[in-house]
Amino acid sequence: MAQELFTAYSKFSEAILEVNAYVADVFANHEKLKAYSTQQLQTLRIIKKNPSISQSEIADIQGVFKTAISNRIRKLEQDGLIAILTNQDLRKKAISITQKGTELLVVSETVIFENLNDLLAERFTGDEIIKFTSQLDEIVHCLKMEKDGDAQ
């Protein structure tokens, strides 16, 4: 059983890499999305989920250095997908998504849905896919709890 579980976790890790590569390829071949990396689109998703987030907070969520986030933010701001607001004492900068950014995320989510649905619909039922994603949500929840526990 331990060896089967080890193999299962190894396959899970490989699958995550394959899914990420698939999504990157889909984005790279789409007219509106090819101008953005998967990391930039992920950053945009994070900003949408966390209005008025800071660059440091984004870096923490993505597990990268703030300089990497600065480069992503610069591109997103130049393209009008986000707005950077400073508070009155000019020390804290809050980042929020613009309407154009929200529209681009809708495009990215629609493109991923269409591509994955075309790929998977013949092999899995909608209920199976929903159950699987529910299990992925639970994994994400466990990971977040582990991360939050480490922070305390």
Side-chain angles (χ1 to χ4, degrees):
M1 177 66 166
Q3 183 59 42
E4 288 177 298
L5 198 52
F6 180 86
T7 301
Y9 285 133
S10 180
K11 286 180 180 181
F12 175 79
S13 180
E14 289 176 31
I16 295 297
L17 294 174
E18 288 295 325
V19 169
N20 283 335
Y22 178 82
V23 168
D25 189 53
V26 167
F27 288 167
N29 290 302
H30 187 274
E31 191 60 35
K32 287 185 179 181
L33 301 173
K34 67 183 176 184
Y36 304 98
S37 68
T38 54
Q39 295 84 4
Q40 288 168 329
L41 292 168
Q42 180 187 48
T43 301
L44 198 56
R45 261 187 226 93
I46 291 167
I47 294 166
K48 182 181 178 191
K49 285 176 87 173
N50 303 280
S52 300
I53 193 169
S54 71
Q55 287 189 27
S56 295
E57 291 167 321
I58 296 169
D60 288 343
I61 291 169
Q62 290 188 304
V64 297
F65 292 111
K66 192 175 171 187
T67 53
I69 299 304
S70 295
N71 293 333
R72 293 174 195 168
I73 294 298
R74 189 176 310 112
K75 167 76 171 155
L76 298 174
E77 184 182 28
Q78 286 172 351
D79 290 359
L81 303 175
I82 61 169
I84 300 176
L85 310 166
T86 53
N87 67 1
Q88 291 177 335
D89 66 8
L90 304 176
R91 284 185 277 173
K92 180 162 166 93
K93 294 181 179 180
I95 304 165
S96 57
I97 193 166
T98 64
Q99 182 63 34
K100 185 177 177 182
T102 300
E103 290 167 4
L104 186 68
L105 277 184
V106 169
V107 169
S108 74
E109 291 163 359
T110 302
V111 166
I112 290 302
F113 166 78
E114 290 170 351
N115 280 269
L116 286 175
N117 195 53
D118 288 347
L119 182 68
L120 302 175
E122 290 183 20
R123 295 186 131 192
F124 301 98
T125 67
D127 287 341
E128 288 173 323
I129 292 170
I130 290 168
K131 181 175 179 159
F132 175 70
T133 56
S134 176
Q135 291 169 328
L136 287 175
D137 284 341
E138 190 60 32
I139 291 170
V140 169
H141 177 72
C142 290
L143 295 171
K144 286 181 179 179
M145 287 181 57
E146 174 73 17
K147 184 179 178 182
D148 291 345
D150 287 347
Q152 294 176 359

